[in-house]
Amino acid sequence: MAEQQKNNPLHGITLEKMVTDLHAHYGWAELGYMLRFECFINNPSVKSSLKFLRKTAWARKKVEDLFLSTFHK
């Protein structure tokens, strides 16, 4: 299993850590502008964001891509 994750830069990084780090780096307003997710625009919180992202695969992929482009250049 470790061989499969060898080249995965997201291995070991939780969705909560991604959202928390992106919030600390950009803030809710900028995340809402960049990704256009309601959970980042109206009454944003880590908890509401995680609830949405865990249910919505395409949105989670956008957050993962933004995380990688921001922190793993």
Side-chain angles (χ1 to χ4, degrees):
M1 187 72 143
E3 289 295 319
Q4 294 174 347
Q5 298 295 324
K6 189 175 182 179
N7 294 321
N8 182 356
L10 294 175
H11 181 68
I13 300 174
T14 64
L15 184 58
E16 183 175 5
K17 175 160 177 46
M18 283 187 256
V19 171
T20 303
D21 289 355
L22 287 170
H23 169 249
H25 187 76
Y26 292 111
W28 293 122
E30 186 67 18
L31 283 174
Y33 177 77
M34 294 169 73
L35 298 174
R36 303 279 191 217
F37 299 155
E38 195 69 22
C39 64
F40 293 154
I41 297 170
N42 289 330
N43 198 17
S45 71
V46 172
K47 184 178 178 180
S48 68
S49 300
L50 292 175
K51 186 176 180 181
F52 170 72
L53 294 169
R54 287 181 177 135
K55 292 180 182 179
T56 316
W58 61 266
R60 180 180 178 139
K61 175 74 171 124
K62 286 187 173 192
V63 168
E64 290 171 349
D65 291 346
L66 179 60
F67 182 83
L68 288 174
S69 68
T70 302
F71 297 111
H72 292 276
K73 294 181 180 178

